[in-house]
Amino acid sequence: MNDVPSQPWSLMMRIYKEIIPNVHRELDLWREKAEHIPNEELRTQAIASINSKTFHCEGGSIYALLAMYPDRRKEIIEFIVAYQTISDYLDNLCDRSTSLDPEDFSLLHDSMRHALTPGVTLEKYYRLREEQDDGGYLHDLVLTCQKVLEKLPGFPQIHSGLIELAEHYCNLQIHKHVIHEERVPRLQRWFSENKKELPAMSWYEFSACAGSTLGIFCLVSYASNGEVDPEVVHKVKEGYFPWIQGLHIMMDYLIDQEEDKDGGDLNFCFYYESQDRMIDRLLHFFKMADRSAKDLPHSKFHTLITRGLLGIYSTDAKVKRQRDVQNVLKKLMRAGGMSAYYFYWNSWVYRKVKA
């Protein structure tokens, strides 16, 4: 059985003891498969997505601690690593793409939809691009996700919620990777189609909320414990989308501003009219994420997640080069309190040891 961590130190102890070793074990298996991909470009992007984005799988797999039984926790980590690896791999393929075709991006991301529906027929996801032979790599990732999901006792209750969250994620990836002139108009049009169902926010904040997989991981973890009450599914879905997921991705864009400016990449923080406005909105996202966390089962665990996001992103090496970002993070850290500082120092030490 499992006691879900409710204190910063107990959470970090479990992460170091249970999560990180299992995540790295899974990633080693996928890296080995990636190294045998026949097509050079697909092989390059698959390996790069694992080597440069390991922390995505480490962070996402924390949700496995919501699973009550040890065997289930390992299965949940297997799912999370596979699903996040699909996400990171496709992000690399679209970001550094030989194609700017939204139909190609949509077909690639059908793999993320199919990964959430056991038994669905897999497709030739590369058929609209030049590079096609991955030696079965993407199919294996999808099948691994399906294999875990079909064994979860609560899967039938969460399936529609998973698809809804995945649909938002996939749409974002399609719209933000097309030719530069079309990106913002497509994202604005997409926002206008969803605006009536959202709390007050801008098109770029909505886009950020769609760009996280945390809500999916949370639902899958709860489904490992038995049938999931529809009210719990609703609260998780509404709590993570938009607020907790929005906080997650806005923190990511916050620290990437210099890099994205140099690379000419889309960054949702660029669209705030002033730094003061950006600070106000990020603080609002944090407060709403915190409020959402308090409505969830294991509320203390989810509250720790919101503080962990502040602490972990604040220690990224990119922050040192950006004085304005440092000022924003200081205000967010103060709002997060002692738990956020605990995660900050823990993350700082972990990054030093890894380096």
Side-chain angles (χ1 to χ4, degrees), residues 251-288:
M251 293 295 292
D252 198 49
Y253 278 107
L254 176 67
I255 68 169
D256 280 350
Q257 287 181 86
E258 182 183 67
E259 185 177 276
D260 289 343
K261 197 171 290 181
D262 292 343
D265 295 327
L266 188 72
N267 186 305
F268 297 130
C269 288
F270 294 162
Y271 295 93
Y272 288 108
E273 58 264 35
S274 67
Q275 189 180 75
D276 286 343
R277 176 61 176 166
M278 180 171 68
I279 291 170
D280 286 346
R281 290 301 292 169
L282 288 177
L283 284 169
H284 178 69
F285 266 83
F286 171 71
K287 288 171 186 172
M288 294 305 293

Side-chain angles (χ1 to χ4, degrees), residues 97-113:
S97 189
T98 56
S99 160
L100 289 168
D101 178 7
E103 295 300 319
D104 171 42
F105 299 153
S106 181
L107 182 58
L108 285 173
H109 282 86
D110 278 345
S111 65
M112 295 191 72
R113 301 176 178 100

Side-chain angles (χ1 to χ4, degrees), residues 95-210:
D95 234 1
R96 298 155 182 80
S97 189
T98 56
S99 160
L100 289 168
D101 178 7
E103 295 300 319
D104 171 42
F105 299 153
S106 181
L107 182 58
L108 285 173
H109 282 86
D110 278 345
S111 65
M112 295 191 72
R113 301 176 178 100
H114 294 169
L116 300 176
T117 307
V120 73
T121 302
L122 306 191
E123 295 187 31
K124 294 179 179 177
Y125 300 113
Y126 304 104
R127 71 172 181 266
L128 295 180
R129 58 175 43 226
E130 291 177 22
E131 308 85 13
Q132 298 200 8
D133 188 3
D134 74 351
Y137 179 71
L138 185 52
H139 277 186
D140 285 347
L141 285 164
V142 173
L143 290 169
T144 297
C145 294
Q146 291 182 352
K147 178 193 73 176
V148 174
L149 291 180
E150 68 184 353
K151 292 190 284 187
L152 299 183
F155 175 70
Q157 290 82 47
I158 67 165
H159 183 239
S160 62
L162 294 180
I163 295 299
E164 187 177 332
L165 291 171
E167 201 61 36
H168 285 311
Y169 179 87
C170 294
N171 282 331
L172 170 68
Q173 294 301 312
I174 295 162
H175 296 320
K176 81 170 191 173
H177 284 116
V178 297
I179 60 172
H180 283 261
E181 304 78 50
E182 290 185 11
R183 290 176 183 179
V184 170
R186 287 179 71 111
L187 289 167
Q188 290 174 330
R189 191 159 55 246
W190 178 46
F191 169 64
S192 68
E193 293 165 1
N194 290 273
K195 187 175 180 180
K196 64 179 181 298
E197 299 165 12
L198 298 166
M201 63 176 62
S202 63
W203 67 265
Y204 44 92
E205 289 170 339
F206 165 67
S207 297
C209 298

Side-chain angles (χ1 to χ4, degrees), residues 317-348:
K318 299 169 192 172
V319 174
K320 291 181 182 178
R321 304 189 298 268
Q322 303 177 83
R323 184 62 61 86
D324 287 349
V325 172
Q326 291 173 25
N327 293 335
V328 175
L329 287 169
K330 283 176 185 175
K331 293 182 180 181
L332 287 167
M333 288 292 291
R334 280 200 292 271
M338 289 305 298
S339 292
Y341 285 106
Y342 179 88
F343 290 120
Y344 174 90
W345 287 113
N346 219 288
S347 177
W348 186 83

